[in-house]
């Protein structure tokens, strides 16, 4: 079943949003992913329990273009999400973010806790995660660092064919799986999202100064943090840090997962999430 596409007119421009599922409203997005009606693996994890709104941020897909570079920042993206929430007539919604989507969620929670029913932060961090962790694949001391950088640059190439990009994308994902041999099992759905090079380039600059740890105590939203024990992108230490600093946050560690616990331990991921939302008052 494909996702329903809608163009949402807001006070900050028009945004492309895809919706699926029934239940309480839940926003899902990612800083530099370009979604379409085929959906997203992470967002799909919540469609049994929620009405999921999968958002293409500014400059992505058919969403509003950025007139100035700063409009691609995390804070401006949160302002855009708030405008979308208001335009949809949703008083309060949940937010779920994986990886850089989770980083965006942290910023959202710091500034708009009152408008968030709860947050799910998976495989993310509240600060720049490369410099101080040799377990991170983006740290130059990690054995797969050079290959990961090469794959990222290849994916941004305008001259590469779609077939080449698909092969590089698969290899990149396999570097972040506890068992790369299971790739075909995990990624078997016809989901065809892309990567926005302009947003990724901006994020890579913003990331160098990103550190929200001293403001995490301002988050008043119930927060569930989930992370694979073997996560090479945003290592576990950063999820543990968020759990320690966000008041009342709950941490779930997935012992047999790397960066994709919602696929690598799909059944447990769903159960942990359902138990969490059922326990909210």
């Amino acid at each position: 079943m494909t996702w329903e596409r809608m163009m949402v007119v807001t006070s900050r421009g028009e945004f492309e949003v895809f919706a699926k599922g029934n239940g309480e409203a839940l926003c899902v997005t990612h800083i530099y992913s370009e979604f379409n009606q085929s959906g997203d693996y992470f967002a799909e994890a919540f469609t049994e329990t929620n009405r999921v709104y999968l958002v293409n941020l500014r400059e992505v897909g058919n969403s509003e273009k950025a007139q100035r570079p700063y409009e691609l920042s995390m804070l401006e993206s949160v302002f855009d999400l708030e405008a979308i929430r208001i335009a949809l007539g949703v008083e309060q919604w949940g937010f779920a973010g994986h990886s850089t989507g989770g980083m965006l969620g942290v910023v959202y929670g710091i500034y708009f806790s009152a408008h968030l029913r709860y947050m799910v932060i998976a495989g993310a961090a509240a600060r720049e995660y490369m410099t101080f962790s040799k377990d991170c694949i983006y740290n130059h001391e990690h054995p797969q660092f050079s290959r990961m950088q090469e794959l990222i640059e290849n994916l941004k190439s305008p001259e590469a064919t779609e077939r080449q990009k698909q092969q590089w994308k698969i290899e990149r994902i396999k570097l972040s799986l506890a068992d790369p041999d299971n790739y075909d099992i995990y990624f078997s759905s016809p989901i065809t999202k892309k990567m926005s090079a302009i947003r990724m380039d901006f994020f890579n600059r913003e990331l160098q100064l990103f550190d929200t740890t001293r403001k995490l105590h301002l988050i008043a939203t119930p927060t569930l943090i989930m992370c694979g024990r073997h996560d090479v992108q945003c290592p576990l230490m950063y999820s543990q840090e968020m759990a320690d600093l966000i008041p009342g946050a709950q941490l779930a560690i997935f012992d047999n997962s790397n960066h994709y616990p919602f696929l690598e331990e799909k059944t447990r991921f769903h159960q942990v999430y359902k138990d969490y939302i059922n326990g909210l008052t």
Side-chain angles (χ1 to χ4, degrees):
M1 177 182 170
T2 60
W3 290 61
E4 171 193 347
R5 178 182 175 273
M6 59 182 77
M7 294 300 298
V8 180
V9 179
T10 80
S11 60
R12 294 173 60 86
E14 195 170 6
F15 292 87
E16 188 174 36
V17 178
F18 302 93
K20 188 176 180 181
N22 297 296
E24 192 171 10
L26 179 71
C27 174
V28 177
T29 193
H30 186 277
I31 286 178
Y32 50 79
S33 287
E34 180 181 332
F35 305 110
N36 54 55
Q37 285 181 281
S38 67
D40 171 69
Y41 283 101
F42 179 70
E44 196 69 47
F46 307 100
T47 56
E48 289 181 15
T49 51
N50 295 85
R51 176 66 169 173
V52 181
Y53 294 97
L54 182 60
V55 178
N56 268 344
L57 295 175
R58 190 175 294 268
E59 197 68 49
V60 175
N62 294 301
S63 287
E64 197 75 20
K65 300 300 180 185
Q67 302 303 312
R68 301 172 183 84
Y70 75 82
E71 293 177 344
L72 300 175
S73 71
M74 287 190 229
L75 188 57
E76 288 293 318
S77 297
V78 165
F79 293 156
D80 289 341
L81 292 177
E82 273 293 276
I84 293 167
R85 177 188 63 79
I86 292 167
L88 289 171
V90 177
E91 184 176 346
Q92 228 186 16
W93 61 5
F95 179 89
H98 171 238
S99 197
T100 69
M103 297 170 74
L104 187 63
V106 168
V107 178
Y108 203 168
I110 289 169
Y111 294 99
F112 292 104
S113 274
H115 302 160
L116 294 171
R117 172 96 167 94
Y118 57 87
M119 290 196 302
V120 178
I121 309 295
R127 60 185 169 104
E128 186 262 293
Y129 44 79
M130 305 169 294
T131 305
F132 303 107
S133 176
K134 295 175 185 177
D135 294 329
C136 178
I137 200 166
Y138 302 115
N139 183 294
H140 68 278
E141 293 189 36
H142 192 280
Q144 298 289 350
F145 169 79
S146 296
R147 184 54 182 161
M148 177 61 92
Q149 293 303 308
E150 186 179 357
L151 290 169
I152 290 171
E153 290 307 310
N154 287 349
L155 283 166
K156 291 191 287 187
S157 169
E159 281 121 38
T161 66
E162 284 304 313
R163 182 174 181 179
Q164 285 176 314
K165 286 187 176 182
Q166 185 61 21
Q167 290 173 336
W168 292 329
K169 181 181 175 183
I170 291 171
E171 184 180 348
R172 180 172 178 256
I173 291 172
K174 283 185 174 182
L175 291 175
S176 300
L177 292 175
D179 187 350
D181 291 339
N182 285 338
Y183 174 87
D184 290 334
I185 297 172
Y186 299 146
F187 294 90
S188 57
S189 299
I191 292 173
T192 57
K193 70 176 184 179
K194 298 178 181 179
M195 182 182 74
S196 166
I198 187 172
R199 286 200 65 102
M200 185 177 218
D201 285 342
F202 189 92
F203 168 74
N204 284 336
R205 286 159 176 75
E206 186 176 25
L207 178 62
Q208 306 308 315
L209 299 175
F210 180 72
D211 187 348
T212 61
T213 52
R214 294 181 67 182
K215 289 188 174 182
L216 292 181
H217 70 280
L218 299 174
I219 296 177
T221 302
T223 304
L224 172 62
I225 298 167
M226 301 202 264
C227 188
R229 186 171 295 280
H230 311 288
D231 196 322
V232 295
Q233 293 204 34
C234 292
L236 178 58
M237 62 178 280
Y238 296 103
S239 286
Q240 292 170 325
E241 178 178 68
M242 288 188 289
D244 289 340
L245 296 175
I246 297 174
Q250 179 176 314
L251 173 64
I253 300 172
F254 294 79
D255 291 328
N256 300 312
S257 294
N258 191 318
H259 194 54
Y260 298 91
F262 51 94
L263 297 175
E264 295 175 274
E265 295 180 69
K266 187 174 183 178
T267 300
R268 182 172 172 239
F269 186 94
H270 286 172
Q271 194 58 53
V272 168
Y273 173 68
K274 288 176 185 177
D275 289 347
Y276 185 77
I277 59 172
N278 288 337
L280 295 174
T281 55

